[in-house]
Amino acid sequence: MWDGAPCAVLVVDPSGTVVGANAVATGLLPQAVPGARLEEAVPHWLADAHRRLTASSAPLSGPGEAPGGEAGGRSLRAHPARGGNGDVVWWLLDDTELRLAEDALRGERERTALLAEVSETLSATLNVERCTEAIVRLAVQHLADAAVLIAPAAGRRLPVTHGTPEGPVHGTAEADPETVPGLSEALQGFPPVPSRWIDPALLPDWIMPPRFDGPAGSVVVTPLPGHGVPAGALVLLRRTGHAAFSRSEETFARLFAARAGAALSAARLYAEQAAITETLMRELFPPGLRQVHGVEFAGGYRVSELKEWVGGDFYDLHPAAGPDEESLVVLGDVCGKGLEAAVLTGKIRNTLHALLPMAGDHPRVLGLLNGALVSSHHTRFATLVLASAARVDNHVRLRLTSAGHPPPLIVRADGSVEEADTRGSLIGVLPRIRARTATVELAPGETCLLYTDGITEARGGPLGGDMFGEERLKDALGECAAMPAEAVVERVRMLAGQWVAGRSHDDMAVVAITAPRTVHLSAVDGHTRGRYTT
């Protein structure tokens, strides 16, 4: 019965001698012929299994526990059956294909887990340098003995990051990509060159990582695909004596490179956008104020949210060209807050800058600005106050014009506080606006305060819902008589900050214009500080 079985069958007596074998068994194990000693005719794993079986009186092992191993280039599982005279019949079932399938499945699971780890690790950062280091570190851990990441050329030099078990090494190399087979094409995003076409002995010195002991025995060069443009190239190196890259490993390297390139491209795109945003935001920041031609200017700004850089409140100082001319201060409040309000803020500031030659005529400047906003696609409106200041003897003369904005407050030397007599309509709502200009004289030590409603409408206090209000602001200013402009601004900012106590609030902006108690003699250029005299 067993002689015609489709699998190999051996019959072994209790002494370990082969007493029978079918044709399949003799074809697989040529020495397993009747009369041969089992340990001399079969692999050791089968001889050991027979010895353990005959030496034990325990019941036979279950199918899931059958011994197995290699024989004749095949993977076998040995299933024993006892004969009536003490012989053991070994049924050798060929499970080579099953083992190969299991190994392939196990390998694919490991690679899938690795790709998941790669994606998770690389998505955890948008920093270009840290992303680059993570790519070469993962490549060295899982793919090769060393890795080299080459970024797109910066001028004549190639940014290069070498990865070794000791860690990444950043640098640049003034080298020609053509010296590495397939590298120039990879940097352009073309498909990789098969590793069997690359002679490792021809690799230039600049591509070899530091502390890489021994010559390279196998090389893979693969592109790093990016978002629309190549993100670079990845070179994987294995030492001589290690297994060369197989085709499946090259395919997996390309999958790894695809994820690495996407992450690196995203990090670079984020870095570029962050740089552009920082540049644009820098132009939207309120300027630093200073003393100009004997008039003190100081400003303070606080955005509505900690995460925001700029908002809808703004102020600007346009210094006069000479001591006999007026410096222009602008303080405004755009409806809303955040980035959208900041964009309109930038447009208003740029428009006012273009209208500086007409700064002596406040109604005309406000009318032209209103026309620019009404005709734009913006649906937001703004309030504004213009202040033209000039030193006249030891006083400061101000011309104040409000357009829908709270009127400026004047702090006199005796501590009294009064409102400037100026009113006007909103900017960007009606085709034409109306505005009334007030002229104010500041004696030495007196201050004019421009502020946005973020100060007076700030909610806080003991119960958290009371507005700061104009009366509290006036009381606070009454205590600032004869103070310098910077001190007045800091006092108002401190009180408003204590009032809200960390609660949400609108943007806040404040500007103080002060007539100093001393006569300021400007330096020759009219801008830098000179000396003071009493």
Side-chain angles (χ1 to χ4, degrees), residues 129-474:
E129 183 173 325
R130 285 197 291 269
C131 185
T132 301
E133 292 177 355
I135 291 171
V136 296
R137 174 173 51 81
L138 289 169
V140 170
Q141 288 178 352
H142 302 287
L143 302 178
D145 296 323
V148 186
L149 193 152
I150 301 96
R156 295 184 176 180
R157 303 189 68 85
L158 290 173
V160 177
T161 301
H162 292 99
T164 63
E166 290 77 14
V169 179
H170 297 279
T172 58
E174 189 168 347
D176 184 4
E178 297 289 348
T179 58
V180 179
L183 179 56
S184 179
E185 293 80 3
L187 288 172
Q188 299 177 58
F190 291 107
V193 174
S195 63
R196 63 182 181 277
W197 293 3
I198 303 177
D199 185 358
L202 300 179
L203 294 177
D205 292 338
W206 66 268
I207 201 72
M208 304 303 294
R211 301 185 299 274
F212 183 75
D213 52 338
S218 184
V219 183
V220 167
V221 179
T222 184
L224 295 174
H227 298 295
V229 294
L234 183 65
V235 179
L236 303 176
L237 304 170
R238 283 182 179 173
R239 297 184 181 89
T240 300
H242 289 197
F245 289 98
S246 64
R247 291 188 178 182
S248 63
E249 288 177 324
E250 290 186 49
T251 301
F252 181 73
R254 290 197 293 271
L255 295 175
F256 174 89
R259 284 161 172 77
L264 189 58
S265 181
R268 288 183 182 143
L269 181 61
Y270 175 80
E272 292 175 3
Q273 292 177 340
I276 293 172
T277 301
E278 183 178 357
T279 301
L280 295 177
M281 289 298 185
R282 192 180 299 116
E283 294 300 320
L284 295 176
F285 285 154
L289 305 188
R290 53 189 172 83
Q291 188 173 93
V292 178
H293 301 308
V295 182
E296 288 184 4
F297 299 95
Y301 182 73
R302 178 170 176 169
V303 293
S304 58
E305 301 289 344
L306 293 177
K307 62 182 180 181
E308 302 286 352
W309 288 6
V310 293
D313 289 6
F314 65 95
Y315 59 81
D316 262 323
L317 169 64
H318 302 282
D324 297 330
E325 300 181 31
E326 293 178 324
S327 297
L328 178 66
V329 175
V330 182
L331 182 139
D333 182 1
V334 172
C335 174
K337 51 188 176 182
L339 184 58
E340 292 185 4
V343 171
L344 184 55
T345 293
K347 180 176 181 178
I348 293 175
R349 293 173 67 183
N350 291 335
T351 303
L352 289 173
H353 187 79
L355 296 175
L356 280 179
M358 308 172 191
D361 189 346
H362 286 187
R364 186 180 182 189
V365 170
L366 293 175
L368 292 172
L369 175 62
N370 181 71
L373 295 187
V374 168
S375 61
S376 72
H377 67 278
H378 292 286
T379 58
R380 298 174 182 269
F381 61 87
T383 65
L384 204 69
V385 60
L386 302 180
S388 294
R391 182 88 184 203
V392 180
D393 296 328
N394 64 338
H395 286 65
V396 171
R397 179 172 298 166
L398 291 175
R399 290 189 302 113
L400 304 169
T401 305
S402 172
H405 202 83
L409 298 177
I410 312 301
V411 185
R412 297 302 182 183
D414 60 359
S416 61
V417 179
E418 59 190 53
E419 291 184 357
D421 186 19
T422 175
R423 296 289 188 276
S425 54
L426 299 172
I427 301 292
V429 177
L430 301 175
R432 307 188 65 165
I433 66 167
R434 297 178 179 273
R436 182 173 70 247
T437 300
T439 301
V440 176
E441 293 278 344
L442 297 181
E446 295 182 341
T447 296
C448 173
L449 186 78
L450 317 180
Y451 64 95
T452 60
D453 58 12
I455 299 289
T456 54
E457 295 180 3
R459 292 189 177 275
L463 301 179
D466 296 332
M467 289 198 303
F468 189 73
E470 293 184 4
E471 292 304 319
R472 287 190 179 87
L473 178 59
K474 291 179 179 180

